[in-house]
C-alpha cells in the first residue's frame, strides 16, 4: 500500500481511497476517488523508465482514447506526468471484464451474450466510422459498468486509418482473436478484418 500512499501524496490530495485493482503489461491500475471529477476513476500508473520501449504505444493509446466520444468506449479523463510516472485517468468499470464472467463449466446465458455482443457491435461500428481499428478486442478488453453497460477498453495496439492509407500491413494483437487474413499477413487489410 506504500505505492497508493505515494500516489495520494503526489496528487496533492486530488485522489483518495486508492486501491490496487490490477497489474498490466504497461503498469499498475488503481481505483480511487477523484475529488476534481467527484467520482471514482481508474488510474493506470506507468513507470516510463521501465517502459521506454513502449512509450510510442502508450502515446498512441492516449491519442486514440482522447478522441473517442462514445457510450461504448471507456471514457478518458486525462494524463499527468509526475517524475517518471505517467498517470492515465479513466472511467472506472466496477463490473470488471467479460473474461472475469467466463467460468469453466458455467457458460454465460444466451441473453447475457446477446447484450454484450449488441453493445460490442455498437463500439465497433463507432470505431469503424471514426476510421479506427482496435486490433485487440477480446473478453479481457470488454469491460462492464456496475449497471452492466458494456464498453471497449485497452487501445494499446490500436491504429488510426487515414483516407489515403486505408489498409494496415502490421501484425499486432492476440492471435486467438485474429482474423485469418491478418495471421496470414495477407496483402493489407482494412478495419473490417481487425476489430
Amino acid at each position: 500500500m506504500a505505492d497508493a500512499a505515494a500516489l495520494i501524496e503526489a496528487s496533492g490530495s486530488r485522489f483518495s481511497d486508492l486501491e490496487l485493482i490490477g497489474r498490466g503489461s504497461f503498469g499498475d491500475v488503481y481505483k480511487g476517488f477523484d475529488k476534481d471529477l467527484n467520482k471514482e476513476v481508474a488510474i493506470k500508473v506507468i513507470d516510463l523508465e521501465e517502459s521506454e520501449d513502449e512509450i510510442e504505444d502508450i502515446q498512441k493509446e492516449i491519442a486514440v482514447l482522447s478522441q473517442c466520444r462514445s457510450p461504448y468506449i471507456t471514457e478518458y479523463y486525462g494524463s499527468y506526468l509526475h517524475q517518471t510516472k505517467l498517470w492515465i485517468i479513466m472511467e472506472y468499470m466496477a463490473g470488471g471484464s467479460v473474461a472475469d464472467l467466463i467460468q469453466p463449466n458455467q457458460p454465460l446465458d444466451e441473453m447475457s451474450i446477446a447484450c454484450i455482443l449488441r453493445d460490442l457491435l455498437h463500439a465497433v461500428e463507432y470505431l469503424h466510422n471514426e476510421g479506427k481499428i482496435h486490433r485487440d478486442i477480446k473478453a479481457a478488453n470488454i469491460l462492464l459498468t456496475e449497471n452492466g453497460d458494456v464498453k471497449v477498453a485497452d487501445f494499446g495496439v490500436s491504429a488510426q486509418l487515414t483516407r489515403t492509407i486505408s489498409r494496415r500491413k502490421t501484425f499486432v494483437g492476440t492471435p486467438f482473436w485474429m482474423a485469418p487474413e491478418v495471421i496470414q499477413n495477407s496483402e493489407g487489410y482494412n478495419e473490417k478484418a481487425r476489430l
Side-chain angles (χ1 to χ4, degrees), residues 15-78:
F15 302 104
S16 63
D17 303 325
L18 289 180
E19 172 189 340
L20 182 66
I21 58 172
R23 295 187 184 274
S25 57
F26 281 142
D28 296 338
V29 180
Y30 292 84
K31 173 183 92 167
F33 187 80
D34 185 329
K35 294 175 187 173
D36 288 358
L37 296 173
N38 197 31
K39 64 169 75 174
E40 283 189 323
V41 294
I43 306 167
K44 187 188 288 189
V45 180
I46 302 166
D47 189 330
L48 296 176
E49 285 183 336
E50 294 175 6
S51 305
E52 279 184 43
D53 297 340
E54 289 90 17
I55 289 177
E56 189 176 323
D57 292 335
I58 295 165
Q59 289 172 328
K60 285 180 190 174
E61 180 177 7
I62 291 170
V64 170
L65 280 171
S66 67
Q67 296 167 4
C68 289
R69 299 285 179 268
S70 168
Y72 304 104
I73 306 293
T74 52
E75 200 168 341
Y76 166 78
Y77 299 127

Side-chain angles (χ1 to χ4, degrees), residues 14 37 42 62 66 75-80 86-90:
R14 174 179 172 172
L37 296 173
I62 291 170
S66 67
E75 200 168 341
Y76 166 78
Y77 299 127
S79 299
Y80 307 95
L86 175 66
W87 301 6
I88 302 173
I89 315 303
M90 301 185 57

Side-chain angles (χ1 to χ4, degrees), residues 167-182:
R167 297 185 181 273
R168 301 296 298 185
K169 293 186 179 190
T170 54
F171 185 86
V172 201
T174 305
F176 279 135
W177 308 103
M178 290 180 167
E181 58 269 30
V182 176

